[in-house]
């Protein structure tokens, strides 16, 4: 007998009853792959589709010159959640990479995140008390209403102008005074000489790259790549009892409540004939020019696994999300949040569709947060699906 999937792929009508799969998972990024793994572990049958020709969503890595290149920008895994860490370690061994970006401003390099090294580089202060006093003398006082006031309140005018103002403008295409305060609260501020960008207990990059990690996660699960959900919706929906949708929630509802704003990125990858180009995995560009915000030298993410006489360097250019560009970041302004609330209300009336991930939840989430969200949702819905 021809399977429903075969009928779909041959362009024939899909017979709705009974569905061949328990779940149709739209999107093979972190949320979709985590959900698929947990569904398969629970004895269910997921089908994962993705419009791109590869698995892993934006975590996808590809090998070039014996180096695992983060094709869609730097992805550093970090978490303090033991369940997430144990789950992800089922599929990869992590190296001990600790993210310590440098920031270039006015021709000088500064340490990130904002810590005693940064304060010493900027003001030549040596003690936490001196650093606190300097920040105190130039802080914004009051209740911060936006990113600019939040930054001025946390670190004062010098750091804001040197390392935040222009970088943020380039990153988001908006003035920091028009952006929500929480974006800058992501960055640690500490009064120790510690350049670790994250505060989490566990951190690293999967040895062998993220693509290998996703391959292991998806073992035994049907994945169909290069399939656009929206062009095949009426044929795809009947394949499964429920849908896990990880794409843009406004597209799911045909933008009927308005267009949500996302920020996109363009990447310029270059092979350079030197074994070490910039001496660090990530350098941030905090001046108005050049237009890129970061350069990434991929081999430094994995010094043991990425041995090569040459190097691959990527420039990251933020851009508006137009003309089929890939959406990366939700732009969580008040107006966009209001539109998203309307979509969320509509989503609640569709109990057979689970919306998850950065684009669907319209939340600025790190990888571990996406994974945790998928794990929590799977835990709450899979038992009912697994019961005949
Ligand atoms: N940021 C900044 N200067 C920097 C790095 C970050 O002003 O050198 C601000 C900027 O507003 C950015 C936010 O901090 O959007 C969060 O940065 P993060 O590195 O967490 O961004 P991601 O890695 O998620 O793109």
């Amino acid at each position: 007998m021809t399977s429903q999937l075969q009928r779909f792929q041959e362009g024939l009508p899909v017979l709705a009853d009974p569905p061949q799969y328990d779940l149709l998972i739209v999107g093979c990024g972190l949320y979709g792959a985590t959900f698929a793994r947990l569904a398969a572990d629970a004895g269910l049958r997921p089908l994962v589709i993705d419009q791109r020709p590869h698995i892993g969503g934006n975590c996808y890595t590809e090998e070039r010159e014996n180096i695992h290149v983060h094709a869609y920008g730097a992805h550093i895994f970090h978490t303090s959640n033991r369940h997430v860490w144990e789950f992800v370690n089922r599929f990869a061994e992590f190296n001990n990479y600790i993210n310590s970006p440098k920031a270039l401003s006015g021709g000088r390099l500064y340490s990130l995140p904002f810590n005693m090294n940064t304060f010493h580089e900027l003001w030549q202060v040596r003690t936490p008390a001196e650093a606190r006093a300097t920040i105190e003398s130039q802080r914004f006082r009051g209740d911060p209403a936006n990113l600019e006031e939040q930054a001025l309140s946390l670190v004062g005018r010098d750091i804001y102008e040197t390392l935040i103002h222009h970088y943020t403008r380039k990153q988001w295409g908006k003035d920091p005074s028009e952006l929500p305060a929480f974006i800058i609260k992501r960055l640690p501020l500490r009064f120790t000489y510690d350049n670790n960008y994250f505060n989490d207990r566990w951190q690293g990059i999967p040895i062998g790259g993220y693509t290998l990690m996703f391959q292991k996660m998806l073992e035994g699960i049907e994945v169909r790549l290069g399939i656009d959900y929206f062009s095949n919706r009426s044929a795809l929906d009947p394949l499964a009892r429920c849908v896990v949708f990880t794409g843009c929630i406004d597209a799911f509802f045909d933008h009927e409540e308005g267009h949500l704003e996302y920020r996109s990125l363009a990447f310029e990858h270059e092979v350079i004939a030197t074994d070490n180009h910039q001496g660090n995995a990530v350098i941030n560009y905090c001046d108005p020019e050049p237009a890129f915000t970061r350069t990434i030298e991929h081999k430094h993410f994995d010094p043991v696994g990425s041995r090569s006489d040459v190097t691959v360097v990527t420039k990251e250019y933020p851009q508006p999300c137009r003309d089929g560009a890939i959406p990366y970041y939700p732009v969580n302004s008040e107006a966009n949040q209001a539109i998203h609330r309307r979509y969320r209300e509509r989503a609640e009336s569709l109990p057979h569709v689970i919306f998850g991930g950065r684009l669907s939840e319209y939340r600025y989430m790190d990888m571990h947060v996406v994974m945790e969200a998928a794990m929590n949702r799977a835990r709450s819905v899979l038992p009912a699906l697994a019961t005949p």
Side-chain angles (χ1 to χ4, degrees):
M1 204 187 92
T2 327
S3 77
Q4 290 178 346
L5 183 62
Q6 267 171 315
R7 289 183 70 86
F8 160 69
Q9 284 179 325
E10 286 162 16
L12 298 169
V14 175
L15 310 170
D17 198 27
Q20 190 185 343
Y21 299 93
D22 295 302
L23 299 121
L24 170 68
I25 299 181
V26 182
C28 195
L30 215 39
Y31 194 97
T34 301
F35 214 99
R37 178 72 268 150
L38 294 171
D41 289 352
L44 293 164
R45 199 152 178 221
L47 168 66
V48 184
I49 62 165
D50 201 294
Q51 61 183 345
R52 294 193 228 179
H54 60 72
I55 59 172
N58 291 343
C59 300
Y60 174 70
T61 48
E62 60 195 2
E63 204 170 309
R64 280 178 78 173
E65 309 288 345
N66 201 37
I67 296 164
H68 295 293
V69 172
H70 295 214
Y72 302 97
H75 283 77
I76 299 123
F77 198 89
H78 54 96
T79 183
S80 295
N81 182 320
R82 182 178 293 279
H83 298 298
V84 168
W85 185 238
E86 284 173 358
F87 178 73
V88 84
N89 271 271
R90 280 173 57 190
F91 316 108
E93 193 184 333
F94 281 75
N95 69 13
N96 59 352
Y97 176 79
I98 298 286
N99 196 32
S100 308
K102 293 286 169 200
L104 185 66
S105 179
R108 301 179 76 117
L109 278 176
Y110 296 91
S111 300
L112 289 176
F114 311 124
N115 73 89
M116 284 306 299
N117 289 301
T118 331
F119 310 142
H120 179 71
E121 289 149 1
L122 254 176
W123 304 311
Q124 292 74 54
V125 295
R126 278 188 294 165
T127 66
E130 288 169 325
R132 282 184 202 280
T134 310
I135 290 174
E136 199 52 40
S137 69
Q138 38 174 284
R139 276 187 60 214
F140 168 83
R141 283 156 224 283
D143 208 8
N146 54 50
L147 195 157
E148 178 176 62
E149 290 178 2
Q150 182 67 58
L152 289 170
S153 154
L154 284 172
V155 291
R157 176 70 55 187
D158 288 350
I159 293 181
Y160 176 72
E161 289 303 342
T162 312
L163 299 172
I164 299 175
H165 187 170
H166 304 294
Y167 182 99
T168 300
R169 234 181 183 293
K170 291 194 293 187
Q171 167 74 16
W172 297 97
K174 289 185 196 300
D175 194 79
S177 60
E178 297 170 57
L179 289 162
F182 79 85
I183 292 176
I184 200 74
K185 284 199 221 152
R186 294 166 51 81
L187 302 192
L189 164 67
R190 47 175 102 93
F191 293 87
T192 51
Y193 288 91
D194 177 2
N195 288 338
N196 183 351
Y197 202 60
F198 304 113
N199 281 327
D200 280 321
R201 175 148 181 208
W202 296 287
Q203 183 174 169
I205 308 268
I207 294 170
Y210 282 96
T211 303
L212 184 63
M213 180 182 107
F214 275 82
Q215 276 163 4
K216 295 216 166 126
M217 228 167 148
L218 294 162
E219 248 166 36
I221 294 170
E222 279 194 63
V223 179
R224 293 284 178 268
L225 299 172
I227 294 185
D228 177 41
Y229 175 69
F230 295 117
S231 339
N232 299 288
R233 205 166 181 169
S234 56
L236 285 166
D237 282 343
L239 291 175
R241 292 159 65 202
C242 75
V243 174
V244 177
F245 181 78
T246 72
C248 296
I249 193 166
D250 53 340
F252 185 92
F253 291 104
D254 290 326
H255 304 104
E256 283 166 10
E257 306 292 337
H259 281 259
L260 283 170
E261 191 183 358
Y262 301 88
R263 190 77 173 148
S264 188
L265 300 171
F267 297 99
E268 246 175 52
H269 304 286
E270 191 186 356
V271 178
I272 301 177
T274 171
D275 69 331
N276 186 0
H277 176 66
Q278 62 182 29
N280 205 38
V282 183
I283 299 197
N284 289 4
Y285 286 72
C286 299
D287 293 316
E289 294 291 331
F292 50 86
T293 45
R294 289 190 267 229
T295 51
I296 297 158
E297 187 170 12
H298 301 264
K299 62 173 16 179
H300 299 306
F301 286 130
D302 183 14
V304 178
S306 292
R307 294 233 167 88
S308 179
D309 294 338
V310 298
T311 195
V312 181
V313 174
T314 299
K315 292 182 180 132
E316 182 173 321
Y317 295 86
Q319 55 174 23
C321 193
R322 299 192 197 105
D323 306 330
I326 297 174
Y328 285 82
Y329 298 93
V331 183
N332 294 106
S333 63
E334 275 306 319
N336 289 327
Q337 291 293 104
I339 297 175
H340 184 250
R341 277 195 291 278
R342 297 206 292 274
Y343 284 120
R344 225 177 39 211
E345 275 163 29
R346 290 185 63 171
E348 276 162 20
S349 65
L350 299 175
H352 63 291
V353 185
I354 293 158
F355 293 88
R358 243 191 206 210
L359 303 176
S360 243
E361 294 179 45
Y362 204 62
R363 272 207 292 150
Y364 188 175
M365 290 186 274
D366 282 337
M367 283 187 283
H368 65 293
V369 180
V370 172
M371 211 167 218
E372 188 178 346
M375 288 168 79
N376 288 340
R377 198 69 200 277
R379 197 176 302 123
S380 73
V381 303
L382 291 180
L385 275 172
T387 314

